[in-house]
Every structure is written in structure tokens, then in C-alpha cells.
């Protein structure tokens, strides 16, 4: 595996993400089908990475996306503005009045508790971002000297929205490489996105092509299996035990299939209950395995934990930290993100650094 090279020239952004931003509706302690009120957040797999890098780590980030121009879209924008992510690449699409032609995505999410698992129900057909086409963004100008970014991030959720979004992702990744910008890609398999358009065979067809273009690949054991057809051997269906040698074998198999990859990282999660998980990570970098052992953590809201892992890892790489520190940063940031509601992180860099050092949760005042 070749080393990952971070650009050292001045650039407008530290990280640019490409993906959908949805309105998350959270019933809190209730169920989606019985609640009478929701709290709203913004969220999206690729966006959450940019927001985490901005709010926790103080980096300059942007999101390339699209929204239907109606009050729901403006609410999403208002939430994004609070997150501090540059929205200058947000495309507004005229609304047709009732959503026959274009809509904004909604994501209803239950946090789960104890033996009741977290659950999600998305309503995201005909969204503005799913109708993006190659040529809608001027990628040479975005990645060129006029703007430029030190890092580009996208993933399997955006690629699953439509046939055209997969082509947009490929177009953007190609432009990023033409301007020496490293690319990360989170596989983020979602059965609900793929089941009506060809299921896992289609997911593998699309993602195998895109993964051939990227530098850092992120996922978990289900993602690598569903999206690339690379299975984790020697585990049960409930993943109650996660044998590290099997993960090492899986990562090395992925590296052999995709020699373009410079770093492959997988989260390690054992969900004994919705409220209590064992959480860690493993990575393959320059042919060496780096492992952060699992530790038991309490979960308030698990959604977005993987995205916060990604932003912590990317922060470490952008900051010039060693891979072992960067991986521990991702694990710590993901753990902290799962202690608060919503998709996105409210953690601070000080809190992340304290957790990396293994400090206790003793009150700070």
C-alpha cells in the first residue's frame, strides 16, 4: 500500500463532502408510530463528517448538495448554518408545490433502548439531491486553484440515491484526483436504499467501480460484505464475537482487490443492547494492522457514530498525526457522539483528547 499524501498548499477548505442532507425527525423516548411530537435535526452520512470536522475539530468544511426550495428545505438550511459547514455549494431546486417532481428527504429515527433496537424509516424519494447529474457542479473550479480542498469525502449512501448520483460521485472523485486531493469513501450500506433497485448485486456493481478510485475506505463487516462481496469469516450472524484475525484477513483481502487503497478502516461494534455496545476499530495502513481494542460504552443515540468515527480519523490525518493516534481519535469521537441525541457530534476537541488519554468521566467544573 502506498502512503497517503495530504496536500500542503493553501486551500479554501480542509474537507469537502458530497451527499444528501435530510431532516431527521426524532420521537425522543417514544416510538415513531405512537408519538405526538418530534424534535428535528439535520443529518446525512456524508454531511455528518463535514459537520464533525467543523464543530469538534475547528476545520473549514463544505457540503455539495441540493435541496428543494420550500420551508422544509429552508429549515434544513437553518440547521446547517448552525453547524458551520460552508453551504456555498448548496443548489436550490424550484419546488413544484406538492412534491410530484422534487422533494426534501425526511428521516424518522428511533434511538432504541435496552433490548429494543434503534430503528429508522426514511422518506426520501424524488429528493432534489437524488436528481443531480454529471455536470451540475463545476468540479474543476471547485477542486482547482479558485477554491480547492485538502480532502474530499463521499460514500455509498449518496451513490445509492439514483443511477445519476453514482455518476456524479465518480465525476467528483476523478476531478479530486486531478488536483491531488485525497478521497475517502464510507461504504455505509443501507438495505432500504438498494432493495428496490437491485439489492446487494447492484450495490456491489456500483461500489466496486467507485472503490477503485478512492484512497481511504471506511466501513464495517456488513458494509464490506454487502457492498464489495468480501465476507468476514468465522463469525455468527449476530456478530456477538469479533475475532481480530478475521478482520485482519478481511482488510487484507480488500487491499489485494483494490491496490489503489492507501488506508482501510473498519469500526468494531458489538451491540449487546441498544444502550450498551462494545466499540473499537481496526485499520490497515501501509500493510500494517493498527487496532484499537473494543471497550464497553453507554449509548444514548447510536445514529451517526460511524460518521463521527470517520471525521475523527480524517482529522488526525489532516493534522499530521500518526495513524494509531488518528484511529483512536476516530473511536473517541464516535463514542462521544453517541452520548447525545441527533446524527451529529456535539463533542469538543478537549473531550476527545481526554478520552484518547483514557481519562475518567469525573465531572469537570
Amino acid at each position: 500500500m502506498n502512503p497517503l499524501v495530504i496536500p500542503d498548499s493553501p486551500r479554501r477548505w480542509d474537507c469537502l463532502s458530497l451527499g444528501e442532507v435530510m431532516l431527521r425527525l426524532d420521537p425522543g423516548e417514544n416510538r415513531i408510530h405512537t408519538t405526538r411530537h418530534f424534535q428535528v435535526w439535520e443529518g446525512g452520512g456524508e454531511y455528518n463528517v463535514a459537520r464533525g470536522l467543523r464543530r469538534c475539530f475547528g476545520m473549514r468544511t463544505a457540503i455539495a448538495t441540493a435541496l428543494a426550495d420550500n420551508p422544509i428545505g429552508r429549515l434544513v438550511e437553518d440547521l446547517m448554518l448552525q453547524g458551520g459547514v460552508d453551504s456555498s455549494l448548496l443548489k436550490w431546486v424550484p419546488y413544484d408545490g406538492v412534491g410530484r417532481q422534487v422533494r426534501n428527504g425526511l428521516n424518522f429515527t428511533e434511538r432504541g433502548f435496552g433490548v429494543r433496537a434503534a430503528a429508522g424509516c426514511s422518506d426520501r424519494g424524488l429528493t432534489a439531491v437524488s436528481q443531480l447529474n454529471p455536470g451540475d457542479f463545476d468540479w474543476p473550479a471547485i477542486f482547482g486553484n479558485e477554491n480547492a480542498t485538502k480532502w474530499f469525502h463521499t460514500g455509498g449512501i449518496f451513490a445509492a440515491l439514483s443511477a445519476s448520483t453514482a455518476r456524479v460521485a465518480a465525476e467528483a472523485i476523478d476531478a479530486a484526483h486531478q488536483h491531488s486531493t485525497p478521497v475517502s469513501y464510507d461504504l455505509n450500506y443501507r438495505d432500504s436504499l438498494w432493495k428496490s433497485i437491485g439489492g446487494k448485486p447492484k450495490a456491489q456493481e456500483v461500489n466496486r467501480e467507485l472503490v477503485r478510485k478512492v484512497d481511504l475506505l471506511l466501513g464495517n463487516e456488513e458494509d464490506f460484505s454487502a457492498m464489495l462481496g468480501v465476507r468476514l469469516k468465522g463469525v455468527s450472524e449476530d456478530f456477538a464475537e469479533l475475532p481480530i484475525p478475521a478482520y485482519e484477513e478481511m482488510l487484507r483481502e480488500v487491499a489485494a482487490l483494490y491496490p489503489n487503497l492507501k488506508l482501510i478502516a473498519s469500526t468494531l461494534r458489538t451491540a449487546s443492547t441498544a444502550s450498551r455496545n462494545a466499540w473499537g476499530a481496526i485499520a490497515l495502513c501501509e500493510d500494517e494492522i493498527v487496532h484499537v481494542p473494543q471497550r464497553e460504552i453507554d449509548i444514548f443515540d447510536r445514529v451517526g457514530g460511524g460518521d463521527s468515527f470517520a471525521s475523527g480519523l480524517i482529522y488526525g490525518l489532516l493534522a499530521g498525526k500518526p495513524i494509531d493516534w488518528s484511529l483512536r481519535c476516530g473511536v473517541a469521537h464516535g463514542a462521544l457522539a453517541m452520548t447525545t441525541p441527533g446524527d451529529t457530534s456535539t463533542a469538543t476537541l478537549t473531550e476527545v483528547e481526554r478520552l484518547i488519554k483514557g481519562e475518567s468521566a469525573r465531572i469537570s467544573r
Side-chain angles (χ1 to χ4, degrees):
M1 301 175 80
N2 293 322
L4 188 63
V5 178
I6 308 296
D8 58 5
S9 58
R11 302 196 173 194
R12 177 176 177 181
W13 303 297
D14 295 303
C15 179
L16 166 65
S17 286
L18 169 65
E20 181 167 34
V21 187
M22 295 195 296
L23 186 69
R24 171 176 167 176
L25 293 100
D26 185 342
E29 297 175 352
N30 299 312
R31 307 293 304 275
I32 294 170
H33 66 280
T34 59
T35 192
R36 296 300 179 266
H37 64 272
F38 292 94
Q39 187 168 2
V40 297
W41 320 86
E42 90 282 23
E46 297 84 9
Y47 165 81
N48 294 342
V49 174
R51 192 187 190 282
L53 282 165
R54 175 67 186 88
R55 293 295 286 173
C56 180
F57 301 106
M59 309 206 97
R60 299 159 301 147
T61 63
I63 179 72
T65 192
L67 291 169
D69 194 355
N70 62 19
I72 297 172
R74 293 294 171 177
L75 172 57
V76 174
E77 179 199 30
D78 193 58
L79 293 163
M80 292 167 61
L81 291 171
Q82 179 179 315
V85 177
D86 185 345
S87 59
S88 59
L89 299 178
L90 165 58
K91 291 186 174 295
W92 289 104
V93 178
Y95 186 56
D96 59 45
V98 295
R100 291 191 182 95
Q101 297 175 336
V102 65
R103 303 170 58 244
N104 292 302
L106 304 178
N107 184 24
F108 298 83
T109 304
E110 292 181 10
R111 300 174 197 161
F113 183 81
V115 295
R116 176 170 59 85
C121 178
S122 62
D123 180 14
R124 64 198 307 178
L126 299 177
T127 57
V129 72
S130 72
Q131 299 181 58
L132 287 172
N133 286 287
D136 284 346
F137 290 102
D138 186 353
W139 296 117
I142 291 170
F143 287 108
N145 293 332
E146 180 180 333
N147 294 290
T149 180
K150 290 187 176 181
W151 195 278
F152 177 64
H153 178 74
T154 190
I157 293 177
F158 178 74
L161 298 179
S162 67
S164 65
T165 56
R167 296 196 299 271
V168 172
E171 177 189 49
I173 293 169
D174 288 341
H177 282 149
Q178 288 169 11
H179 292 88
S180 303
T181 303
V183 176
S184 56
Y185 188 91
D186 196 330
L187 290 166
N188 258 336
Y189 175 68
R190 298 290 184 270
D191 179 70
S192 59
L193 288 174
W194 292 101
K195 67 180 181 180
S196 66
I197 57 172
K200 290 180 182 179
K202 185 63 177 179
Q204 292 175 15
E205 175 189 331
V206 170
N207 283 274
R208 283 168 175 165
E209 288 300 314
L210 290 171
V211 170
R212 290 189 178 97
K213 299 175 178 286
V214 306
D215 302 292
L216 166 57
L217 184 64
L218 300 151
N220 60 28
E221 64 286 330
E222 182 185 18
D223 297 329
F224 288 108
S225 174
M227 301 288 246
L228 300 179
V230 179
R231 297 185 179 278
L232 180 68
K233 300 178 177 67
V235 295
S236 58
E237 291 185 4
D238 61 0
F239 298 104
E241 299 290 336
L242 303 181
I244 297 307
Y247 273 87
E248 180 175 347
E249 181 181 350
M250 179 184 71
L251 296 184
R252 292 193 182 281
E253 184 177 348
V254 172
L257 290 170
Y258 303 95
N260 54 289
L261 293 173
K262 300 173 179 64
L263 173 58
I264 311 168
S266 174
T267 52
L268 302 171
R269 184 197 294 269
T270 305
S272 52
T273 73
S275 313
R276 188 78 171 164
N277 288 184
W279 173 252
I282 187 170
L284 179 65
C285 181
E286 297 186 37
D287 298 318
E288 296 294 329
I289 289 291
V290 183
H291 175 215
V292 178
Q294 288 179 290
R295 58 176 287 188
E296 290 288 325
I297 61 171
D298 293 307
I299 305 290
F300 186 80
D301 181 352
R302 67 164 283 164
V303 178
D307 302 328
S308 292
F309 165 77
S311 58
L313 172 60
I314 293 168
Y315 166 73
L317 298 171
L318 287 171
K321 302 289 189 180
I323 179 59
D324 60 333
W325 190 96
S326 301
L327 195 67
R328 284 185 284 122
C329 182
V331 171
H333 189 222
L336 287 167
M338 292 185 286
T339 65
T340 54
D343 281 31
T344 56
S345 165
T346 62
T348 67
L349 178 54
T350 299
E351 291 171 333
V352 171
E353 290 174 336
R354 285 180 57 188
L355 193 55
I356 290 173
K357 294 174 182 177
E359 295 183 18
S360 72
R362 183 181 175 85
I363 188 169
S364 176
R365 59 185 176 186

